[in-house]
Amino acid sequence: MNRRHFIKHSAFASAGAMMIPSFLKPFEALGADTLAQKILVIIQLSGGNDGLNTVIPFENDLYHNKRPSLGYGKEEVVKLNEQLGLNPSMQSLKEIFDNGWMSIINNVGYPNPDRSHFRSMDIWQTASGSDEFLSTGWIGRYLDSQCSGCQNPYQAIEVDDTLSLAMKGATKKGLAVKDAKRLFNETREPFFKNIVSNYKPEMLSEDHLGYLYKTMIETYSSADYVYNNVRTYNNNFIYPQSQFADQLKTISKFIQSGLSTRVYYVSHGSFDTHVGQKNQQERLLKQYADGVAAFLKDLKQGGKLDDVLVLTFSEFGRRVEQNASNGTDHGTANNVFVYGGGLKQKGILNDLPNLADLDEGDLKYTIDFRNVYATVLDNWLQINNQQVLNKNFKKMDFV
């Protein structure tokens, strides 16, 4: 087969193809491995969620002074204690909080924050400093470090059509799959199947074309493993009706059907609420809260909750003072949510934002987000965080 024909007709000779990892080929060999393993689920709130109207300091006069029409009163919030409450749209998480399945970390950020969506998201996804530009993501580097030779690979799946930078390593990458059946069917198309059935080993050494051949072969193998493991699993747990909840239901199906996958990634948004914030944020937070609550209860019912840690972040928070359009502009520090049945520290883990001590109108961070990552890497995924984060960050104690 000549190059032009291959590149012209292969649906996987595209940017999407580059997202398929080389470590997925051994999936079939791992199918029999049913040993309990710790699983990380990452939820990205895209667009910069307003943390101050998510976890609300309803007794703070400065909060109400800065947000005369955008703030929430104590009679509106879902109270967590005498000072803090959740956005009223997040009622479904009160039971989760009361069950001890939820931790809230306040004032999470990084030095010299960047207010660009793209740059700040890159920083969070690569775990870089604001003055560093990395081409690999923190989960991708985790895969690199754990998958030498691929004898015992740890896999990562993003439930989407494209793969985030967080999931891309130097040599290993996660798999973007929104629908296991669709991926399986696409890899069984005649052209694709013909390539897989008739390739010769020497084809894999043909520079970039060899990489594409290898990608197709491994994708074929991966699609077969994922689809045939999940197709017989029936998830009858009732989820709310939203795209986000559907994505979490897919992750639950993957987990409970026994896939040998360590990390799952999903995004929800957009939370870029410059204008008329309340309605948009409340709608998105309700979808988030209802979806997460259903997901955690589903895992509890299936006996998997203690083996799953859920981490939620957004690339930055919003400014403390509302703008003239009843919205908020790009800010800095934010809250991070952690969920699971095996939390060592539960509830609200650190001090509230100090609204009397701002950095030019923005919250000051007190916890570097890489301390959160270090905790997850060391205490949950069982790898020295320095191997992934390129320096040793102090751990917290929530797991």
Side-chain angles (χ1 to χ4, degrees):
M1 177 174 293
N2 63 52
R3 293 170 183 262
R4 182 175 299 175
H5 183 78
F6 177 88
I7 294 172
K8 179 178 179 181
H9 292 285
S10 174
F12 286 83
S14 63
M18 299 303 182
M19 298 171 186
I20 308 299
S22 61
F23 62 80
L24 284 170
K25 188 176 180 182
F27 253 166
E28 313 92 74
L30 295 172
D33 182 9
T34 57
L35 295 175
Q37 60 181 2
K38 299 302 184 184
I39 295 167
L40 173 65
V41 178
I42 302 171
I43 301 174
Q44 170 184 304
L45 302 182
S46 302
N49 177 49
D50 180 17
L52 202 54
N53 266 16
T54 302
V55 182
I56 300 165
F58 58 85
E59 287 286 8
N60 192 313
D61 290 339
L62 291 174
Y63 165 77
H64 295 288
N65 290 339
K66 295 289 187 180
R67 299 186 169 201
S69 63
L70 203 58
Y72 291 91
K74 62 181 177 181
E75 70 285 350
E76 297 178 276
V77 303
V78 180
K79 286 188 179 179
L80 301 179
N81 59 26
E82 295 306 310
Q83 294 180 298
L84 281 184
L86 294 175
N87 188 287
S89 65
M90 303 174 76
Q91 178 66 49
S92 55
L93 287 181
K94 182 61 164 62
E95 181 183 357
I96 303 303
F97 185 88
D98 291 343
N99 285 343
W101 301 348
M102 179 179 182
S103 298
I104 299 172
I105 310 173
N106 293 304
N107 316 315
V108 183
Y110 55 89
N112 303 311
D114 195 300
R115 292 174 181 80
S116 160
H117 288 294
F118 302 105
R119 178 60 188 141
S120 192
M121 186 60 77
D122 278 357
I123 290 169
W124 275 83
Q125 291 194 359
T126 63
S128 71
S130 58
D131 57 347
E132 294 179 286
F133 293 84
L134 302 181
S135 59
T136 57
W138 73 287
I139 295 300
R141 295 196 300 277
Y142 162 72
L143 297 173
D144 286 341
S145 66
Q146 291 291 350
C147 198
S148 177
C150 295
Q151 292 91 347
N152 296 291
Y154 293 101
Q155 300 79 21
I157 292 178
E158 182 160 1
V159 182
D160 207 333
D161 292 323
T162 58
L163 201 69
S164 300
L165 177 57
M167 304 281 274
K168 300 177 183 179
T171 60
K172 306 292 181 291
K173 296 178 176 65
L175 173 68
V177 51
K178 200 168 188 177
D179 185 314
K181 183 177 181 180
R182 188 181 70 183
L183 178 63
F184 177 83
N185 288 338
E186 287 175 348
T187 60
R188 267 58 192 171
E189 300 235 350
F191 176 80
F192 195 103
K193 192 171 183 178
N194 181 59
I195 291 289
V196 173
S197 301
N198 297 293
Y199 92 98
K200 295 178 175 58
E202 57 267 25
M203 294 164 61
L204 301 183
S205 62
E206 292 189 47
D207 301 323
H208 298 299
L209 189 60
Y211 177 80
L212 293 179
Y213 279 122
K214 187 178 180 182
T215 295
M216 293 183 73
I217 294 164
E218 293 170 345
T219 303
Y220 185 91
S221 175
S222 303
D224 180 75
Y225 170 79
V226 173
Y227 175 62
N228 282 299
N229 272 269
V230 304
R231 67 173 179 162
T232 58
Y233 178 80
N234 294 316
N235 188 340
N236 297 317
F237 197 91
I238 298 174
Y239 278 71
Q241 294 185 345
S242 71
Q243 179 178 336
F244 175 67
D246 288 344
Q247 290 171 302
L248 292 181
K249 187 173 184 179
T250 296
I251 294 175
S252 175
K253 186 174 183 178
F254 286 172
I255 291 172
Q256 301 200 64
S257 64
L259 288 190
S260 298
T261 304
R262 292 298 303 272
V263 181
Y264 294 92
Y265 200 99
V266 65
S267 300
H268 180 50
S270 170
F271 286 86
D272 197 17
T273 51
H274 291 279
V275 178
Q277 174 175 301
K278 271 196 171 182
N279 288 339
Q280 180 179 345
Q281 190 191 29
E282 285 180 3
R283 174 177 57 83
L284 291 171
L285 286 180
K286 179 172 175 54
Q287 291 173 356
Y288 166 76
D290 291 355
V292 168
F295 178 64
L296 296 173
K297 291 176 183 178
D298 186 8
L299 293 177
K300 178 65 174 179
Q301 181 175 289
K304 294 289 187 179
L305 184 60
D306 289 353
D307 297 322
V308 177
L309 185 73
V310 183
L311 174 70
T312 299
F313 80 96
S314 194
E315 69 262 38
F316 47 62
R318 318 294 291 192
R319 292 183 70 79
V320 173
E321 189 169 1
Q322 71 178 68
N323 62 28
S325 301
N326 285 318
T328 51
D329 298 321
H330 299 177
T332 53
N334 209 344
N335 38 53
V336 164
F337 295 146
V338 183
Y339 306 92
L343 298 177
K344 289 172 62 177
Q345 290 184 317
K346 306 162 187 179
I348 300 162
L349 302 193
N350 59 332
D351 292 338
L352 314 182
N354 186 348
L355 302 188
D357 183 20
L358 302 178
D359 182 9
E360 297 182 355
D362 284 318
L363 299 175
K364 292 181 178 180
Y365 87 97
T366 57
I367 294 179
D368 193 305
F369 75 97
R370 290 162 293 187
N371 296 128
V372 178
Y373 287 179
T375 307
V376 172
L377 290 164
D378 276 37
N379 296 353
W380 194 254
L381 295 178
Q382 299 297 309
I383 178 175
N384 187 323
N385 75 83
Q386 189 168 0
Q387 295 181 42
V388 174
L389 303 179
N390 300 323
K391 62 179 287 189
N392 193 45
F393 283 89
K394 184 179 179 181
K395 293 180 293 182
M396 302 175 68
D397 198 34
F398 54 84
V399 289

